[in-house]
Amino acid sequence: MMQAKAKTWVFVGGYGTNIETFSFDPDTGALTSSGLTEGVPEAPTFLALDEPRKLLFAISEKGGPDAPQPGRATSFRIDVSTGKLARMSEVSAGGSNTVFVVPSRAGKNLLTASSSTAAGTIAVIPMTEDGTLRAPSDSVVAGKNAHGLVQSPDGQWIWAVCRGDDLIAQYRLDETQGKLTPLGTALVTIVDKPAGPRHIAVHPTLKVVYVLLDWGGKIVTYSYGADGLLSNPRAVSVFPQGKQPTAAAGTQTAAELAVSADGKHVYATTRAANFQSIAILNVANDGQLALAANEQADGMIKGPRHFSLTSDNQHLVLANQDNDTLLVFKVDVGTGKLARLGAPIATKVKMPNAVAIGRF
């Protein structure tokens, strides 16, 4: 019997109570809406996929950074033939104003960051083999406005960025017990203040971590060794010469960060009022970065809060938070540069700022 051809689905969340599913044609770059999942816990502003198990995870950025309401984490089963989502489970996300979620590399836990100004936390949420979530097994105070985290490729280390305290918290993760242990030197202070470390990514093969600074408009590259501790920071602007913003706490200049699957390029969004773009940076053999280009899509980028790359590095889908649209780009795998495909695509999601792409 012939095996069904794999399909690519794009899931979009934002500041409403729904997630929209789009089918994606990799041959043409066309996105076609295929339905809404309604009644999602308030503000699913970050999504994450477990492609092998056909699962989607969402958090709820409920209440804002100073509100006491706990965030929620929800798991969904994906119907790979239709893209339809079926809710499986919903639990506390382990903190208030949850803004980030990712499944652990071993698939045993869900990892979240909650951006409360009082006590930003990161949490470990156990899950069963079918993706059913359990109550958090650990939740630790990392720092004000904990806004993102990343797990090392070998699964040992967790690094969490705290935008309000200008620091990076460092932990060892016990996947089996679902517990976090601070490393000997637990905190890395961002020297170039005000910085606003917002998101963090790890290189797939090099011992290098990248931290995107929201207030400063830069990426800081860190090395790490056998002890998991970050060191040797080196910064590069994601803005071209003459466009660099003046660093000021609370002035948003950058948002999303990602490393291509082949490790050759890093992408980041700039969202300063006078310069909105996707920055493309080349990765040297030692992991250091050099700004190669800034794609502005003929002025069609409006509030670029989030984007995702397809797993084959061939395409990038960007969420325009300010006008409720999506943009699709073709990626030149050799240079990393982007070419816009078609006009902006409207989405029914309010202020879209979460994109997850899966091929099943």
Coordinates of all heavy atoms in Angstrom, one line a residue, residues 270-303:
T270 N 14.2 42.5 14.1 CA 14.3 43.8 14.6 C 12.9 44.5 14.6 O 12.2 44.4 13.6 CB 15.3 44.7 13.8 OG1 14.8 45.0 12.6 CG2 16.6 43.9 13.6
R271 N 12.5 45.1 15.6 CA 11.2 45.8 15.7 C 11.3 47.2 16.3 O 10.3 47.6 16.9 CB 10.3 44.9 16.5 CG 10.7 44.5 17.9 CD 9.7 43.8 18.7 NE 10.1 43.4 20.0 CZ 9.3 43.0 21.0 NH1 8.0 43.0 20.8 NH2 9.8 42.6 22.1
A272 N 12.4 47.9 16.1 CA 12.4 49.3 16.4 C 11.4 50.0 15.5 O 11.2 49.6 14.4 CB 13.9 49.8 16.2
A273 N 10.9 51.1 16.0 CA 9.8 51.8 15.3 C 10.3 52.2 13.9 O 9.4 52.2 13.0 CB 9.4 53.1 16.1
N274 N 11.5 52.6 13.7 CA 12.0 53.0 12.4 C 12.7 52.0 11.6 O 13.2 52.3 10.6 CB 12.9 54.3 12.6 CG 14.2 53.9 13.4 OD1 14.2 52.9 14.1 ND2 15.2 54.7 13.2
F275 N 12.8 50.7 12.1 CA 13.5 49.7 11.4 C 13.0 48.3 11.8 O 13.4 47.8 12.8 CB 15.0 49.8 11.6 CG 15.8 49.0 10.5 CD1 16.0 49.6 9.3 CD2 16.3 47.8 10.8 CE1 16.7 48.9 8.3 CE2 17.0 47.0 9.8 CZ 17.2 47.6 8.6
Q276 N 12.1 47.8 10.9 CA 11.5 46.4 11.2 C 12.0 45.5 10.1 O 11.8 45.7 8.9 CB 10.0 46.5 11.2 CG 9.5 47.6 12.2 CD 8.2 47.3 12.8 OE1 7.6 46.2 12.6 NE2 7.8 48.2 13.7
S277 N 12.6 44.4 10.5 CA 13.3 43.5 9.6 C 13.5 42.1 10.1 O 13.3 41.9 11.3 CB 14.7 44.1 9.1 OG 15.6 43.9 10.2
I278 N 14.0 41.3 9.3 CA 14.6 40.0 9.7 C 16.1 40.1 9.4 O 16.5 40.2 8.3 CB 14.0 38.8 9.0 CG1 12.5 38.7 9.1 CG2 14.6 37.5 9.5 CD1 11.8 37.7 8.3
A279 N 16.9 40.0 10.5 CA 18.3 40.1 10.3 C 18.9 38.7 10.0 O 18.4 37.7 10.6 CB 19.0 40.6 11.6
I280 N 19.8 38.6 9.1 CA 20.4 37.4 8.7 C 21.9 37.5 9.1 O 22.6 38.4 8.6 CB 20.3 37.0 7.2 CG1 18.8 37.0 6.8 CG2 21.0 35.7 6.8 CD1 18.3 38.1 6.0
L281 N 22.4 36.6 9.9 CA 23.8 36.6 10.3 C 24.5 35.3 9.9 O 23.9 34.2 10.1 CB 23.9 36.8 11.8 CG 23.2 38.1 12.4 CD1 21.8 37.8 12.9 CD2 24.1 38.8 13.4
N282 N 25.7 35.4 9.5 CA 26.5 34.2 9.1 C 27.2 33.7 10.3 O 27.7 34.5 11.2 CB 27.5 34.6 8.0 CG 26.8 35.0 6.7 OD1 25.7 34.5 6.4 ND2 27.5 35.8 5.9
V283 N 27.4 32.4 10.4 CA 28.0 31.8 11.6 C 29.4 31.3 11.1 O 29.6 30.5 10.2 CB 27.2 30.6 12.1 CG1 28.0 29.9 13.3 CG2 25.8 31.0 12.5
A284 N 30.5 31.8 11.8 CA 31.8 31.4 11.5 C 32.1 30.0 12.1 O 31.3 29.5 12.9 CB 32.8 32.4 12.1
N285 N 33.3 29.5 11.8 CA 33.6 28.1 12.3 C 33.7 28.0 13.8 O 33.5 26.9 14.4 CB 35.0 27.7 11.7 CG 34.9 27.4 10.2 OD1 33.8 27.2 9.6 ND2 36.0 27.5 9.5
D286 N 33.9 29.1 14.5 CA 34.0 29.1 15.9 C 32.7 29.6 16.5 O 32.6 29.7 17.8 CB 35.1 30.0 16.4 CG 34.9 31.5 16.0 OD1 34.0 31.8 15.3 OD2 35.7 32.4 16.5
G287 N 31.6 29.8 15.7 CA 30.3 30.1 16.2 C 30.0 31.6 16.3 O 28.9 32.0 16.5
Q288 N 31.1 32.4 16.0 CA 30.9 33.9 16.1 C 30.0 34.3 14.9 O 30.0 33.7 13.8 CB 32.2 34.6 16.1 CG 33.0 34.3 17.3 CD 32.2 34.6 18.6 OE1 31.7 35.7 18.8 NE2 32.1 33.6 19.5
L289 N 29.4 35.5 15.1 CA 28.4 36.0 14.1 C 28.9 37.2 13.4 O 29.6 38.0 13.9 CB 27.1 36.3 14.8 CG 26.4 35.2 15.6 CD1 25.1 35.7 16.2 CD2 26.1 34.0 14.6
A290 N 28.4 37.4 12.1 CA 28.6 38.6 11.3 C 27.3 38.9 10.6 O 26.7 38.0 9.9 CB 29.7 38.4 10.3
L291 N 26.8 40.1 10.7 CA 25.6 40.5 10.1 C 25.8 40.5 8.6 O 26.7 41.2 8.1 CB 25.1 41.9 10.6 CG 23.8 42.4 10.0 CD1 22.6 41.5 10.5 CD2 23.6 43.9 10.5
A292 N 24.9 39.8 7.9 CA 25.0 39.7 6.4 C 24.0 40.5 5.7 O 24.3 41.1 4.7 CB 24.8 38.2 6.0
A293 N 22.8 40.6 6.2 CA 21.7 41.4 5.6 C 20.5 41.6 6.5 O 20.4 40.9 7.5 CB 21.2 40.6 4.3
N294 N 19.7 42.5 6.2 CA 18.4 42.8 6.9 C 17.3 42.8 5.8 O 17.3 43.7 5.0 CB 18.4 44.1 7.6 CG 19.3 44.0 8.9 OD1 20.5 44.3 8.8 ND2 18.7 43.8 10.0
E295 N 16.4 41.8 5.9 CA 15.3 41.7 5.0 C 14.1 42.5 5.5 O 13.6 42.2 6.6 CB 14.9 40.2 4.8 CG 13.7 40.0 3.9 CD 13.8 40.6 2.5 OE1 14.9 40.3 1.9 OE2 12.9 41.4 2.1
Q296 N 13.7 43.5 4.7 CA 12.6 44.4 5.1 C 11.3 44.1 4.4 O 10.2 44.7 4.7 CB 13.0 45.8 5.0 CG 14.1 46.3 6.0 CD 14.4 47.7 5.9 OE1 15.1 48.2 5.1 NE2 13.7 48.5 6.8
A297 N 11.3 43.2 3.4 CA 10.1 42.8 2.6 C 9.3 44.0 2.1 O 8.1 44.0 2.2 CB 9.2 41.9 3.5
D298 N 10.1 45.0 1.5 CA 9.4 46.1 0.9 C 8.5 46.8 1.9 O 7.4 47.3 1.5 CB 8.6 45.7 -0.4 CG 9.5 45.1 -1.4 OD1 10.6 45.6 -1.6 OD2 9.2 44.0 -2.0
G299 N 8.8 46.9 3.1 CA 8.0 47.6 4.1 C 6.8 46.8 4.6 O 6.0 47.3 5.4
M300 N 6.7 45.5 4.3 CA 5.6 44.7 4.7 C 5.7 44.0 6.1 O 4.8 43.4 6.6 CB 5.3 43.6 3.7 CG 4.9 44.1 2.3 SD 4.5 42.8 1.1 CE 4.2 43.7 -0.3
I301 N 6.9 44.2 6.7 CA 7.1 43.6 8.0 C 6.5 44.6 9.1 O 7.0 45.8 9.1 CB 8.6 43.3 8.3 CG1 9.0 42.2 7.3 CG2 8.8 42.9 9.7 CD1 10.5 41.9 7.4
K302 N 5.6 44.2 9.9 CA 4.9 45.1 10.8 C 4.7 44.4 12.2 O 3.9 43.6 12.4 CB 3.5 45.4 10.3 CG 3.4 46.0 8.9 CD 4.0 47.4 8.8 CE 3.8 48.0 7.4 NZ 4.4 49.4 7.4
G303 N 5.6 44.7 13.1 CA 5.6 44.1 14.4 C 6.0 42.7 14.3 O 5.3 41.8 14.7

